[in-house]
Amino acid sequence: MKLASDGPRPPTSENSEQFNQLQNLFDKSFKAARIGIWECTLPDETITWTDTVYELFGLEPRSPLTRAATVALYTPESRRKLTEVRNAAIRDGEGFTLDAQINSATGDLRWIRITAIVERQDGIPVRLFGMKQDITAEKTLFEQLRILAETDAVTGLASRAKFESMLDEVVASGASARKALLLIDLDSFKAVNDRLGHQAGDDCLREAARRISQAVPNATLIARLGGDEFAVIHDYGSVNDLEHVCQRVVDKLEWWVGSSANKFKVSASIGAAMILPGIAAKDIFAEADKALYAVKAAGKNGFRLLPISDPIADVA
């Protein structure tokens, strides 16, 4: 005979124990991952949190909650974004994920990742619920990697990647403030490297970076492009103003390297181009590069600004 076994089985001490073990494992895993569960009923906005969420916000577990008080712990920009996506979710019925920054009640600045689902009844939103996770370590690591990618390891100036990104941004913005691109090349760097060694070469690059920074303290960006090449993005008011900026850099980048027995004079050549509306970043770079080579061909240690196509650019 075959006995029917369809339908739910009655609880036993064995499967109850297994369930409790799984529940305990689930809770521990969420706690280890710094993940908590939250819900907010609508329209009264009653909030319920698990203990981990309380910990993220620096609040005593099971203490009374009001949405106004908890939202006040978000930084202004994150509060604005949260309001925006939350309103859209309630309106459209779609959930959301948001990385937000909070100032916890204990004074810690933290990043949390919020996931939310909207529950509706007869088309009316009645509850928001989801998870909140501490992602501070993830954000910190990402920021450290970003800084490494955007910073030249030898000089501490902006990297070539950061320069290209900034040039594209300036060109795309079409800002009313006039800006120019200066490409700088050290004239005697190869001799320093060949005769004094790479350590002296690195010291020379760091000194050049320091001198450029002193010459143009108000630059939008100063970057090392690689080797002995540097770039500056700088505001200018007139052609004369831009020429004065270039001359300051040329003057500052003239110094002696090495001992009296093995001494080299370092100088710089500069090619400059104006960042004009409607001209692509690569074309502006090409114009500055052409001007730089003209300086090199003319004997180095100077600057060149190629003819200007903008009829108002030379008006003070």
Side-chain angles (χ1 to χ4, degrees):
M1 294 179 60
K2 183 177 180 181
L3 299 176
S5 60
D6 295 337
R9 297 180 180 181
T12 67
S13 60
E14 182 180 353
N15 61 35
S16 293
E17 184 179 348
Q18 288 176 342
F19 177 83
N20 290 334
Q21 288 175 346
L22 287 174
Q23 181 68 43
N24 188 43
L25 180 61
F26 178 84
D27 292 341
K28 287 181 178 178
S29 298
F30 262 49
K31 193 171 184 64
R34 303 279 286 163
I35 299 173
I37 308 298
W38 64 274
E39 73 166 5
C40 179
T41 59
L42 301 173
D44 63 356
E45 295 195 330
T46 299
I47 298 175
T48 304
W49 287 353
T50 58
D51 288 354
T52 301
V53 181
Y54 277 97
E55 292 170 9
L56 295 182
F57 281 77
L59 298 171
E60 189 67 28
R62 313 301 168 87
S63 60
L65 294 171
T66 64
R67 185 168 184 275
T70 59
V71 168
L73 294 174
Y74 288 80
T75 62
E77 179 60 17
S78 289
R79 193 181 310 132
R80 183 191 65 77
K81 290 181 179 178
L82 177 60
T83 300
E84 183 179 302
V85 297
R86 185 179 188 272
N87 289 344
I90 293 173
R91 181 185 66 242
D92 304 329
E94 300 290 338
F96 66 85
T97 299
L98 175 69
D99 290 355
Q101 197 171 32
I102 60 171
N103 282 301
S104 76
T106 55
D108 298 321
L109 192 61
R110 290 187 179 136
W111 280 96
I112 60 172
R113 179 164 294 146
I114 307 168
T115 59
I117 298 171
V118 183
E119 181 183 341
R120 305 173 82 86
Q121 292 179 0
D122 299 325
I124 299 173
V126 295
R127 185 169 70 116
L128 291 172
F129 65 96
M131 298 184 297
K132 294 186 180 184
Q133 180 180 14
D134 188 346
I135 58 167
T136 306
E138 175 187 326
K139 287 287 187 178
T140 300
L141 177 59
F142 179 83
E143 181 64 14
Q144 290 171 344
L145 292 175
R146 183 192 65 79
I147 292 172
L148 284 174
E150 294 184 351
T151 305
D152 176 62
V154 175
T155 64
L157 297 177
S159 66
R160 185 179 189 112
K162 175 63 176 178
F163 160 75
E164 291 174 348
S165 173
M166 177 61 73
L167 182 60
D168 287 340
E169 184 180 318
V170 169
V171 169
S173 70
S176 56
R178 297 172 181 173
K179 293 183 184 293
L181 169 63
L182 281 63
L183 294 183
I184 305 165
D185 191 86
L186 300 183
D187 296 326
S188 305
F189 181 71
K190 188 176 186 304
V192 173
N193 246 352
D194 292 346
R195 301 284 292 275
L196 300 180
H198 289 289
Q199 182 58 54
D202 286 351
D203 290 342
C204 180
L205 292 173
R206 282 188 281 268
E207 179 64 13
R210 187 185 69 81
R211 288 171 175 267
I212 295 170
S213 299
Q214 287 182 339
V216 286
N218 298 318
T220 301
L221 184 77
I222 305 172
R224 179 185 173 218
L225 303 184
D228 60 346
E229 297 176 90
F230 297 83
V232 173
I233 298 175
H234 203 289
D235 291 352
Y236 71 95
S238 66
V239 172
N240 287 338
D241 183 24
L242 180 53
E243 288 176 343
H244 286 313
V245 170
C246 292
Q247 190 61 58
R248 283 204 312 270
V249 178
V250 169
D251 293 342
K252 200 71 178 175
L253 287 177
E254 189 172 0
W255 83 100
W256 290 92
V257 174
S259 63
S260 57
N262 205 7
K263 201 179 210 180
F264 297 93
K265 185 179 182 181
V266 177
S267 60
S269 299
I270 300 176
M274 297 177 177
I275 301 174
L276 300 175
I279 301 179
K282 64 181 181 62
D283 295 327
I284 294 167
F285 189 94
E287 287 295 296
D289 199 41
K290 192 187 301 181
L292 174 60
Y293 275 95
V295 176
K296 291 281 192 182
K300 306 178 180 179
N301 194 20
F303 70 89
R304 178 71 61 89
L305 174 62
L306 289 185
I308 303 160
S309 58
D310 183 354
I312 67 167
D314 59 351
V315 178

